[in-house]
Amino acid sequence: MGCAVPVQPFQSSAQLCLGRAAPDREISLAVPCDAQALEIDSISCVLQEKLRVAVLVSKAALQFIHGVSLPSEYKVPDEVKAAGFEICADELGSIVEGHDVKRLTINGGVEGLATKLSTSTTNGITTTEEELKRRQDIYGINKFAESQARSFWVFVWEALQDTTLIILALCAFVSLIVGIAMEGWPKGAHDGLGIVASILLVVFVTATSDYRQSLQFKDLDKEKKKISIQVTRNGYRQKISIYDLLPGDIVHLAIGDQVPADGMFLSGFSVLIDESSLTGESEPVTVNAAYPFLLSGTKVQDGSCKMLVTTVGMRTQWGKLMATLSEGGDDETPLQVKLNGVATLIGKIGLFFAVVTFAVLAQSLFSRKLQEGSIWSWSGDDALKMLEYFAIAVTIVVVAVPEGLPLAVTLSLAFAMKKMMNDKALVRHLAACETMGSATSICSDKTGTLTTNHMTVVKACICGKIKEVSNCKDALGLCSDIPDIAVKMLLQSIFNNTGGEVVINENGKREILGTPTEAALLEFGLSLGGDFQAERQESKLVKVEPFNSEKKRMGVVLELNGGEFRAHCKGASEIILAACDKVVDGAGQVVSLDEEALTHLKGTIESFANEALRTLCLAYVEMGTDFLATNPIPIRGYTCIGIVGIKDPVRPGVKESVSICRSAGVTVRMVTGDNINTAKAIARECGILTDGGIAIEGPVFREKSLEELNELIPKIQVMARSSPLDKHTLVKHLRTMFNEVVAVTGDGTNDAPALHEADIGLAMGIAGTEVAKESADVIILDDNFSTIVTVAKWGRSVYINIQKFVQFQLTVNVVALIVNFSSACLTGSAPLTAVQLLWVNMIMDTLGALALATEPPQDELMKRSPTQGKGIFMLDGPDSDLILNTLIFNSFVFCQVFNEVSSREMEKINVFKGMLTNYVFVGVLTSTVLFQIIIIEFLGDFANTAPLTLTQWFASVVLGFLGMPIAAAIKMIPVG
């Protein structure tokens, strides 16, 4: 589209380039990587390398400056002191950007910086209006400078740059000069002013369309930037927008989050930061107390931590670098690239016809003058005739070049994007609209997509006893049935081995923060009578290994009051149970996990799973007194505490959506990390798993040979216990071995490879991490599978709308060329003047695109030849030629009006159904007819038309309408 796009925070290295390059693989109706795509890729690489070098040079320069300057020279500016702070924004920025450990130490370390920023590392900043205002005044806000939006007149100026319109404008200028010189004002100016008015109309309609699109894409761009982050303020953990962050804020980061500002590590475990988007380096950086520097725009690859914000907005290293770069809008989509090639070819054909038409018309003039013997005597009228012929030739080129094709694609894509936005789907790349229309396979996640992601523990097996625990009464009943020591160990496991947190919010109410699974377990622990804060204070957290989709487990090591260490782990039931060799029995004693107990636990897992419950196993191991934080958490020798069954109901409407996909030829597969029995139960409930389908586990899948996969993959409907690599492999084989167009849903950092490998990636907007969203083409804002079906529907709509418009425009092109060319060859004159052809071009390109690109999936082909001959209309007199040409022009326009109506349906006879509900279509048709009446009846001198009688008007409308039954008849002819 070429409009200016505001600089966004938190972009990948690919986004720093001129937009998203054309896909490097061929999909339905898309083109393979061509010279243009290669050029875009090369530009992307150059920009990314420049960015990487700039970062490294910036770091080196800062380190050099800090090396030759004395930190003691720093003096706190008076305005900073007056505001109640002891360090300025520039000093903070230099510490983080230069990774200056020496200067950090001189400032008292991270705790010293927090003190100088007047914040608490436990309670965060206070949020009184005065306090926030002072921080903003001294340190700025967390927003990057945006490029100024282009005004409407810029689009007008760009529309005026069209070469053919410039040529026509020159023709109009010459026509004005010669006409006024020969016939005086105003009669001699009619032709020239008519062309000028037509040019201005074309320019303003085109500019208005482009300007409105730019505003729409700007609105969509704002939606992409709506990112929330968890912070501690006033002693409460809460969610705020990244744009509200200020130096001194305490930010909570977890796997998949993007660092929202420059800052310092406060506390955390196993933090790995991916800085590739900033430096281009692929190796992750370990961040800890020894190396505490966190940079805006980087991503948390593993672990979790708390960060002290030091620098925001344009003062961050990312902000300074982004100020030196500009970002372009979306590149042309594959369909636009292809249609541009078609437009160029048709334009060349039109140019040929234009040259031939001009030659024939000029030859007729020369022949007449030769017969009259006035070949060397040229009057002003003769010059105007030649100028008119040239203008007609140029206008034929204008009509022939289908510039409306790319416009129609853009309009259809923009319309589809807007509709999808209303339907809770945010499109990040234009090409995704096209690609989704060709999707033949959807690999869907289970949790949060097919299910509601509102989890609750409804069953538990503790000390060998299975209990319903769907409410507090049931939970308290469980407590009374099992020994106190088992309850204590269970609560210690739940409240310490978690990535969630139980907090008291500003309203004094208890609030659970964390993933739905963590929230369900914490709620279960609270219902058992546990106290989160008290439990956390009884022991010291020494080591944390966050949940990982590869390991499917989470582990922590606690240092108990007596100096002993104990590790807790939880995760996929089969995996954790396999790591256990002991179990807590009904008396609360730790006993060996014999065959009978193991069979009972496995049967419990299976029965829970068959009830469509997600199962988690909790276990612990005693580690003595010699554990070091650098040691790994054990993977064997655990004691099983119990198994819980978590209910996650299927979303309403999923079964119907899956059925719609199947009837549309789209195969839906469930790929999940859950137990295979749970996955099969949910898949059957959703209608995904059918009688002929196969459910397979990831470990079994990855052991298959290529020959076995070739036979197996088409039948796979469920993959359980899958790793990120399994999901990626399945998607890759579907695309390469079976030529499927694959859509993939995902929400975690681990889903990024599959999202990137897929033809179209769909990230979850609620549960999805920022890394997953960045790897995706479409963000599903409500995490609902039904929305994915909506995206597919609008994707198909784009293709069908373009098919309709291509057929409509090509029929107009062919007829316009034939009418003028054949008439020029047969009669030596053109029935359609330059002004009339420009009006037809308006109907065909801009208005036609606007009307047909915003329709539901419909199309139709109509061909219509103009009627010629004065005898048919019994025309006589000096104005008979003018009236005949007006009738041809009028009939031609009404042919296009009814052609647009017929084009609403590709196959159905009834093209009127739903027409009145499409206000854009009705508005375009009404405007076209009204302007046509004005042109014929009131703009005769300007448009070279003559007023028509009611009979002639009726005849024009009837001639145009005749195309509709012809189109209906064509639809009835069987094809293939």
Side-chain angles (χ1 to χ4, degrees), residues 277-352:
S277 59
L278 194 62
T279 66
E281 301 296 335
S282 57
E283 287 298 317
V285 176
T286 301
V287 175
N288 48 38
Y291 182 84
F293 308 105
L294 291 156
L295 299 177
S296 172
T298 58
K299 295 175 282 292
V300 182
Q301 187 169 308
D302 199 5
S304 59
C305 70
K306 289 200 297 182
M307 177 186 88
L308 170 67
V309 176
T310 58
T311 319
V312 293
M314 296 305 293
R315 287 193 170 99
T316 63
Q317 188 170 12
W318 183 268
K320 290 176 181 177
L321 292 170
M322 289 302 292
T324 66
L325 299 173
S326 62
E327 182 191 5
D330 284 279
D331 293 310
E332 289 182 325
T333 69
L335 187 56
Q336 283 175 315
V337 172
K338 212 170 187 182
L339 289 177
N340 280 337
V342 174
T344 302
L345 177 62
I346 296 172
K348 290 177 180 177
I349 296 171
L351 180 62
F352 170 76

Coordinates of all heavy atoms in Angstrom, one line a residue, residues 277-352:
S277 N 16.9 -10.6 17.9 CA 16.2 -9.5 17.3 C 16.9 -8.1 17.4 O 16.6 -7.2 16.6 CB 14.8 -9.3 17.9 OG 14.9 -9.1 19.2
L278 N 17.8 -8.0 18.3 CA 18.6 -6.8 18.5 C 20.0 -6.9 18.0 O 20.5 -5.9 17.4 CB 18.6 -6.5 20.0 CG 19.0 -5.1 20.4 CD1 18.0 -4.0 19.8 CD2 19.0 -4.9 21.9
T279 N 20.7 -8.0 18.3 CA 22.1 -8.1 17.9 C 22.3 -9.0 16.7 O 23.4 -9.0 16.1 CB 22.9 -8.6 19.1 OG1 22.5 -10.0 19.4 CG2 22.7 -7.7 20.3
G280 N 21.3 -9.9 16.4 CA 21.5 -10.8 15.3 C 22.2 -12.1 15.8 O 22.4 -13.0 15.0
E281 N 22.7 -12.1 17.0 CA 23.3 -13.3 17.6 C 22.3 -14.4 18.0 O 21.4 -14.1 18.7 CB 24.2 -12.9 18.8 CG 25.2 -11.9 18.5 CD 26.3 -12.4 17.5 OE1 26.5 -13.6 17.4 OE2 26.9 -11.5 16.9
S282 N 22.5 -15.6 17.5 CA 21.5 -16.7 17.7 C 21.6 -17.3 19.1 O 20.7 -17.9 19.6 CB 21.7 -17.7 16.7 OG 23.0 -18.3 16.7
E283 N 22.8 -17.3 19.7 CA 23.0 -17.9 21.0 C 22.3 -17.1 22.1 O 22.5 -15.9 22.2 CB 24.5 -18.0 21.4 CG 25.2 -19.1 20.6 CD 24.6 -20.5 20.8 OE1 24.4 -20.8 22.0 OE2 24.4 -21.2 19.8
P284 N 21.5 -17.7 23.0 CA 20.8 -17.0 24.1 C 21.8 -16.5 25.1 O 22.9 -17.1 25.3 CB 19.8 -18.0 24.6 CG 20.4 -19.3 24.3 CD 21.1 -19.1 23.0
V285 N 21.5 -15.5 25.8 CA 22.3 -14.9 26.9 C 21.7 -15.2 28.2 O 20.5 -15.1 28.5 CB 22.4 -13.4 26.7 CG1 23.2 -12.7 27.8 CG2 23.0 -13.0 25.3
T286 N 22.6 -15.7 29.1 CA 22.1 -16.0 30.5 C 22.2 -14.7 31.3 O 23.2 -14.0 31.4 CB 23.1 -17.0 31.2 OG1 23.0 -18.2 30.4 CG2 22.6 -17.3 32.6
V287 N 21.0 -14.4 31.9 CA 20.9 -13.2 32.8 C 20.7 -13.6 34.2 O 19.8 -14.4 34.5 CB 19.7 -12.3 32.3 CG1 19.5 -11.1 33.2 CG2 20.0 -11.8 30.9
N288 N 21.5 -13.0 35.1 CA 21.5 -13.3 36.5 C 22.0 -12.1 37.3 O 22.2 -11.1 36.7 CB 22.2 -14.6 36.8 CG 23.6 -14.6 36.2 OD1 24.3 -13.6 36.2 ND2 24.0 -15.8 35.7
A289 N 22.2 -12.3 38.6 CA 22.7 -11.2 39.4 C 24.1 -10.7 39.0 O 24.4 -9.5 39.1 CB 22.7 -11.7 40.9
A290 N 24.9 -11.6 38.4 CA 26.2 -11.2 38.0 C 26.2 -10.5 36.6 O 27.0 -9.6 36.4 CB 27.1 -12.5 37.8
Y291 N 25.2 -10.8 35.8 CA 25.1 -10.1 34.5 C 23.6 -9.7 34.4 O 22.8 -10.5 33.9 CB 25.5 -11.1 33.4 CG 25.3 -10.4 32.0 CD1 26.4 -9.6 31.5 CD2 24.2 -10.6 31.2 CE1 26.3 -9.0 30.2 CE2 24.1 -10.0 30.0 CZ 25.1 -9.2 29.5 OH 25.0 -8.6 28.2
P292 N 23.2 -8.6 35.0 CA 21.8 -8.3 35.2 C 21.1 -7.5 34.1 O 20.0 -7.0 34.3 CB 21.8 -7.5 36.5 CG 23.1 -6.7 36.4 CD 24.1 -7.6 35.6
F293 N 21.8 -7.3 33.0 CA 21.3 -6.3 32.0 C 20.2 -6.9 31.0 O 20.4 -7.9 30.4 CB 22.5 -5.8 31.1 CG 23.6 -5.2 32.0 CD1 24.8 -6.0 32.1 CD2 23.4 -4.1 32.7 CE1 25.8 -5.5 32.9 CE2 24.5 -3.6 33.5 CZ 25.6 -4.3 33.6
L294 N 19.1 -6.3 31.0 CA 18.0 -6.7 30.1 C 17.6 -5.5 29.2 O 17.5 -4.4 29.6 CB 16.7 -7.0 31.0 CG 16.9 -8.3 31.8 CD1 15.9 -8.3 33.0 CD2 16.6 -9.5 30.9
L295 N 17.5 -5.9 27.9 CA 17.3 -4.9 26.8 C 15.9 -5.0 26.2 O 15.4 -6.1 25.9 CB 18.4 -5.0 25.8 CG 19.8 -4.8 26.2 CD1 20.8 -5.0 25.1 CD2 20.0 -3.4 26.8
S296 N 15.3 -3.8 25.9 CA 14.0 -3.8 25.3 C 14.0 -4.5 24.0 O 14.9 -4.3 23.2 CB 13.6 -2.3 25.1 OG 12.4 -2.2 24.4
G297 N 12.9 -5.2 23.7 CA 12.8 -5.9 22.4 C 13.3 -7.3 22.4 O 13.0 -8.0 21.4
T298 N 14.1 -7.7 23.4 CA 14.6 -9.1 23.4 C 13.5 -9.9 24.1 O 12.5 -9.5 24.6 CB 15.9 -9.2 24.3 OG1 15.6 -8.6 25.6 CG2 17.0 -8.3 23.6
K299 N 13.7 -11.3 24.0 CA 12.7 -12.2 24.4 C 13.2 -13.2 25.5 O 14.3 -13.6 25.4 CB 12.1 -13.0 23.2 CG 11.4 -12.1 22.2 CD 11.0 -12.9 21.0 CE 12.2 -13.1 20.0 NZ 12.7 -11.9 19.4
V300 N 12.3 -13.5 26.4 CA 12.7 -14.5 27.4 C 12.5 -15.9 26.8 O 11.4 -16.3 26.5 CB 11.7 -14.4 28.7 CG1 12.2 -15.4 29.8 CG2 11.8 -12.9 29.2
Q301 N 13.6 -16.6 26.7 CA 13.6 -17.9 26.0 C 13.3 -19.0 27.1 O 12.8 -20.0 26.8 CB 14.9 -18.2 25.3 CG 14.9 -19.4 24.5 CD 16.1 -19.5 23.6 OE1 16.4 -18.6 22.8 NE2 16.9 -20.6 23.7
D302 N 13.8 -18.8 28.3 CA 13.6 -19.8 29.4 C 13.6 -19.1 30.7 O 14.2 -18.0 30.8 CB 14.6 -20.9 29.3 CG 14.2 -22.1 30.0 OD1 13.0 -22.2 30.5 OD2 15.0 -23.1 30.1
G303 N 13.0 -19.7 31.7 CA 13.1 -19.1 33.0 C 12.0 -18.0 33.3 O 11.2 -17.7 32.5
S304 N 12.2 -17.4 34.5 CA 11.3 -16.3 34.9 C 12.1 -15.4 35.8 O 13.0 -15.9 36.5 CB 10.0 -16.9 35.6 OG 10.4 -17.6 36.7
C305 N 11.7 -14.2 35.9 CA 12.4 -13.2 36.7 C 11.6 -12.0 37.0 O 10.5 -11.7 36.4 CB 13.7 -12.8 36.1 SG 13.6 -11.8 34.6
K306 N 12.1 -11.2 37.9 CA 11.6 -9.8 38.2 C 12.6 -8.8 37.7 O 13.8 -9.0 37.8 CB 11.3 -9.6 39.6 CG 10.1 -10.3 40.2 CD 9.5 -9.7 41.4 CE 10.5 -9.8 42.6 NZ 9.9 -9.2 43.8
M307 N 12.2 -7.8 37.0 CA 13.1 -6.8 36.4 C 12.8 -5.4 36.9 O 11.6 -5.0 37.1 CB 12.9 -6.8 34.9 CG 13.8 -5.8 34.2 SD 13.4 -5.7 32.4 CE 12.1 -4.5 32.3
L308 N 13.8 -4.6 37.2 CA 13.7 -3.2 37.6 C 13.8 -2.4 36.3 O 14.9 -2.4 35.6 CB 14.8 -2.8 38.6 CG 14.9 -1.3 38.9 CD1 13.7 -0.8 39.6 CD2 16.2 -1.0 39.6
V309 N 12.8 -1.7 35.9 CA 12.8 -0.8 34.7 C 13.7 0.4 35.0 O 13.5 1.1 36.0 CB 11.4 -0.4 34.3 CG1 11.5 0.6 33.1 CG2 10.5 -1.6 34.0
T310 N 14.7 0.6 34.1 CA 15.6 1.8 34.2 C 15.4 2.8 33.1 O 15.5 4.0 33.4 CB 17.0 1.3 34.2 OG1 17.3 0.6 33.0 CG2 17.3 0.4 35.4
T311 N 15.1 2.3 31.9 CA 15.0 3.2 30.8 C 13.8 2.9 29.9 O 13.6 1.7 29.7 CB 16.3 3.2 29.9 OG1 17.4 3.1 30.8 CG2 16.4 4.4 29.0
V312 N 13.1 3.9 29.4 CA 11.9 3.6 28.6 C 11.9 4.4 27.3 O 12.7 5.4 27.2 CB 10.6 4.0 29.4 CG1 10.4 3.0 30.6 CG2 10.6 5.4 29.8
G313 N 11.1 3.9 26.3 CA 10.9 4.7 25.1 C 12.1 4.9 24.3 O 12.9 4.1 24.1
M314 N 12.2 6.2 23.8 CA 13.3 6.5 22.8 C 14.6 6.5 23.5 O 15.7 6.6 22.8 CB 13.0 7.9 22.2 CG 11.7 7.9 21.4 SD 11.7 6.7 20.1 CE 13.1 7.3 19.0
R315 N 14.7 6.5 24.8 CA 16.0 6.4 25.5 C 16.6 5.0 25.6 O 17.8 4.9 25.9 CB 15.9 7.0 26.9 CG 15.7 8.5 26.9 CD 15.9 9.1 28.3 NE 16.0 10.5 28.4 CZ 15.0 11.3 28.7 NH1 13.8 10.8 29.0 NH2 15.1 12.6 28.7
T316 N 15.8 4.0 25.3 CA 16.3 2.6 25.3 C 17.2 2.4 24.1 O 17.1 3.2 23.1 CB 15.2 1.6 25.3 OG1 14.4 1.8 24.1 CG2 14.2 1.8 26.5
Q317 N 18.0 1.4 24.2 CA 18.9 1.1 23.0 C 18.1 0.8 21.8 O 18.4 1.2 20.7 CB 19.8 -0.1 23.4 CG 20.9 -0.3 22.3 CD 21.9 -1.3 22.8 OE1 21.7 -2.0 23.8 NE2 23.0 -1.4 22.1
W318 N 17.0 0.1 22.0 CA 16.1 -0.3 20.9 C 15.5 1.0 20.3 O 15.4 1.2 19.1 CB 15.0 -1.2 21.4 CG 14.0 -1.7 20.3 CD1 12.9 -1.1 20.0 CD2 14.2 -2.8 19.5 NE1 12.3 -1.8 19.0 CE2 13.1 -2.9 18.7 CE3 15.2 -3.8 19.4 CZ2 12.9 -3.9 17.7 CZ3 15.0 -4.8 18.5 CH2 13.9 -4.8 17.6
G319 N 15.0 1.9 21.2 CA 14.4 3.2 20.7 C 15.4 4.0 19.9 O 15.0 4.6 18.9
K320 N 16.6 4.1 20.4 CA 17.6 4.9 19.6 C 17.9 4.3 18.3 O 18.1 5.1 17.3 CB 18.9 5.0 20.5 CG 18.8 5.8 21.7 CD 20.1 5.8 22.5 CE 19.9 6.6 23.8 NZ 21.1 6.5 24.7
L321 N 18.0 3.0 18.2 CA 18.3 2.4 16.9 C 17.1 2.5 16.0 O 17.2 2.7 14.8 CB 18.7 0.9 17.1 CG 20.0 0.7 17.8 CD1 20.2 -0.8 18.2 CD2 21.1 1.2 16.9
M322 N 15.9 2.3 16.5 CA 14.7 2.4 15.7 C 14.5 3.8 15.1 O 13.9 4.0 14.1 CB 13.4 2.0 16.5 CG 13.3 0.5 16.8 SD 13.4 -0.5 15.3 CE 11.8 0.0 14.6
A323 N 15.0 4.8 15.8 CA 14.9 6.2 15.3 C 15.7 6.4 14.1 O 15.4 7.3 13.3 CB 15.4 7.2 16.4
T324 N 16.7 5.5 13.8 CA 17.5 5.6 12.6 C 17.0 4.8 11.5 O 17.5 4.8 10.4 CB 19.0 5.2 12.9 OG1 19.0 3.8 13.2 CG2 19.5 5.9 14.1
L325 N 15.9 4.0 11.7 CA 15.4 3.2 10.7 C 13.9 3.6 10.4 O 13.3 4.1 11.2 CB 15.4 1.7 11.1 CG 16.8 1.1 11.4 CD1 16.6 -0.3 12.0 CD2 17.6 1.0 10.2
S326 N 13.5 3.3 9.2 CA 12.1 3.5 8.9 C 11.5 2.1 8.4 O 12.2 1.3 7.8 CB 11.9 4.5 7.8 OG 12.5 4.1 6.6
E327 N 10.3 1.9 8.8 CA 9.6 0.7 8.4 C 8.6 0.9 7.3 O 7.8 1.9 7.4 CB 8.9 0.1 9.7 CG 8.3 -1.2 9.4 CD 7.4 -1.7 10.5 OE1 7.2 -0.9 11.5 OE2 6.9 -2.8 10.4
G328 N 8.6 0.1 6.3 CA 7.6 0.2 5.2 C 6.4 -0.6 5.6 O 6.3 -1.3 6.6
G329 N 5.3 -0.4 4.8 CA 4.1 -1.1 5.0 C 4.2 -2.6 4.5 O 5.3 -3.0 4.1
D330 N 3.1 -3.3 4.5 CA 3.2 -4.6 4.0 C 3.6 -4.7 2.5 O 3.1 -3.8 1.7 CB 1.8 -5.3 4.1 CG 1.5 -5.7 5.5 OD1 1.9 -6.7 5.9 OD2 0.8 -4.9 6.2
D331 N 4.4 -5.6 2.2 CA 4.8 -5.8 0.8 C 3.6 -6.4 0.0 O 2.6 -6.8 0.6 CB 6.0 -6.8 0.6 CG 7.2 -6.2 1.2 OD1 7.6 -5.0 0.9 OD2 7.9 -6.9 2.0
E332 N 3.7 -6.4 -1.3 CA 2.6 -6.9 -2.1 C 2.4 -8.4 -1.8 O 3.4 -9.1 -1.6 CB 2.9 -6.7 -3.6 CG 2.8 -5.3 -4.0 CD 3.1 -5.1 -5.5 OE1 3.9 -5.9 -6.0 OE2 2.4 -4.3 -6.1
T333 N 1.2 -8.8 -1.7 CA 0.9 -10.2 -1.4 C 1.2 -11.0 -2.7 O 1.3 -10.5 -3.8 CB -0.5 -10.4 -1.0 OG1 -1.4 -10.1 -2.1 CG2 -0.9 -9.4 0.1
P334 N 1.3 -12.3 -2.6 CA 1.6 -13.2 -3.8 C 0.5 -13.0 -4.9 O 0.8 -12.9 -6.0 CB 1.5 -14.6 -3.2 CG 1.9 -14.5 -1.8 CD 1.4 -13.1 -1.3
L335 N -0.8 -12.8 -4.5 CA -1.8 -12.6 -5.5 C -1.7 -11.3 -6.2 O -1.9 -11.1 -7.4 CB -3.2 -12.7 -4.8 CG -4.4 -12.7 -5.8 CD1 -4.3 -13.8 -6.8 CD2 -5.7 -12.9 -5.0
Q336 N -1.3 -10.2 -5.4 CA -1.1 -8.9 -6.0 C 0.1 -9.0 -7.0 O 0.0 -8.4 -8.1 CB -0.8 -7.9 -4.9 CG -2.0 -7.5 -4.2 CD -1.7 -6.5 -3.0 OE1 -0.8 -6.8 -2.2 NE2 -2.4 -5.5 -2.9
V337 N 1.2 -9.7 -6.6 CA 2.3 -9.8 -7.6 C 1.9 -10.5 -8.8 O 2.2 -10.0 -9.9 CB 3.4 -10.6 -6.9 CG1 4.5 -10.9 -7.9 CG2 4.0 -9.8 -5.7
K338 N 1.1 -11.5 -8.7 CA 0.6 -12.3 -9.9 C -0.3 -11.4 -10.8 O -0.2 -11.4 -12.0 CB -0.1 -13.5 -9.4 CG 0.1 -14.7 -10.4 CD -0.5 -16.0 -9.8 CE -0.1 -17.2 -10.7 NZ -0.7 -18.4 -10.1
L339 N -1.2 -10.7 -10.1 CA -2.1 -9.9 -10.9 C -1.5 -8.7 -11.5 O -1.9 -8.2 -12.6 CB -3.3 -9.4 -10.0 CG -4.3 -10.5 -9.6 CD1 -5.3 -10.0 -8.6 CD2 -5.0 -11.1 -10.8
N340 N -0.4 -8.2 -10.9 CA 0.4 -7.1 -11.5 C 1.0 -7.5 -12.8 O 1.0 -6.8 -13.8 CB 1.5 -6.6 -10.6 CG 1.0 -5.7 -9.5 OD1 -0.1 -5.0 -9.7 ND2 1.7 -5.6 -8.4
G341 N 1.4 -8.8 -12.9 CA 1.9 -9.4 -14.1 C 0.8 -9.5 -15.2 O 1.1 -9.1 -16.3
V342 N -0.4 -9.9 -14.7 CA -1.5 -9.9 -15.7 C -1.9 -8.6 -16.2 O -2.1 -8.4 -17.4 CB -2.7 -10.6 -15.0 CG1 -4.0 -10.5 -15.9 CG2 -2.4 -12.0 -14.6
A343 N -1.9 -7.6 -15.3 CA -2.2 -6.2 -15.7 C -1.2 -5.7 -16.7 O -1.5 -5.0 -17.6 CB -2.2 -5.3 -14.4
T344 N 0.1 -6.0 -16.5 CA 1.1 -5.5 -17.4 C 0.9 -6.1 -18.8 O 1.0 -5.4 -19.8 CB 2.5 -5.9 -16.9 OG1 2.7 -5.4 -15.6 CG2 3.6 -5.5 -17.8
L345 N 0.6 -7.4 -18.8 CA 0.4 -8.1 -20.1 C -0.8 -7.5 -20.9 O -0.8 -7.2 -22.1 CB 0.1 -9.6 -19.9 CG -0.2 -10.4 -21.1 CD1 0.9 -10.4 -22.1 CD2 -0.5 -11.9 -20.7
I346 N -1.9 -7.3 -20.1 CA -3.1 -6.7 -20.7 C -2.9 -5.3 -21.2 O -3.3 -4.8 -22.2 CB -4.3 -6.8 -19.7 CG1 -4.7 -8.2 -19.4 CG2 -5.5 -6.0 -20.3 CD1 -5.7 -8.4 -18.3
G347 N -2.1 -4.6 -20.4 CA -1.7 -3.2 -20.8 C -1.0 -3.2 -22.1 O -1.2 -2.3 -22.9
K348 N -0.1 -4.1 -22.3 CA 0.6 -4.2 -23.6 C -0.3 -4.4 -24.7 O -0.2 -3.8 -25.8 CB 1.7 -5.3 -23.5 CG 2.9 -4.9 -22.6 CD 3.9 -6.0 -22.5 CE 5.0 -5.7 -21.5 NZ 6.0 -6.8 -21.4
I349 N -1.3 -5.3 -24.5 CA -2.3 -5.6 -25.6 C -3.1 -4.3 -25.8 O -3.4 -4.0 -27.0 CB -3.2 -6.8 -25.1 CG1 -2.4 -8.1 -25.0 CG2 -4.3 -6.9 -26.1 CD1 -3.2 -9.2 -24.4
G350 N -3.5 -3.7 -24.7 CA -4.2 -2.4 -24.9 C -3.4 -1.4 -25.6 O -4.0 -0.6 -26.5
L351 N -2.1 -1.3 -25.4 CA -1.3 -0.3 -26.1 C -1.2 -0.6 -27.5 O -1.3 0.3 -28.4 CB 0.1 -0.4 -25.5 CG 1.2 0.6 -26.1 CD1 0.7 2.0 -25.9 CD2 2.5 0.4 -25.5
F352 N -1.2 -1.9 -27.9 CA -1.2 -2.3 -29.3 C -2.5 -1.8 -30.0 O -2.5 -1.2 -31.1 CB -1.0 -3.8 -29.4 CG -1.3 -4.3 -30.8 CD1 -0.3 -4.2 -31.8 CD2 -2.5 -5.0 -31.1 CE1 -0.6 -4.7 -33.1 CE2 -2.7 -5.4 -32.4 CZ -1.8 -5.3 -33.4

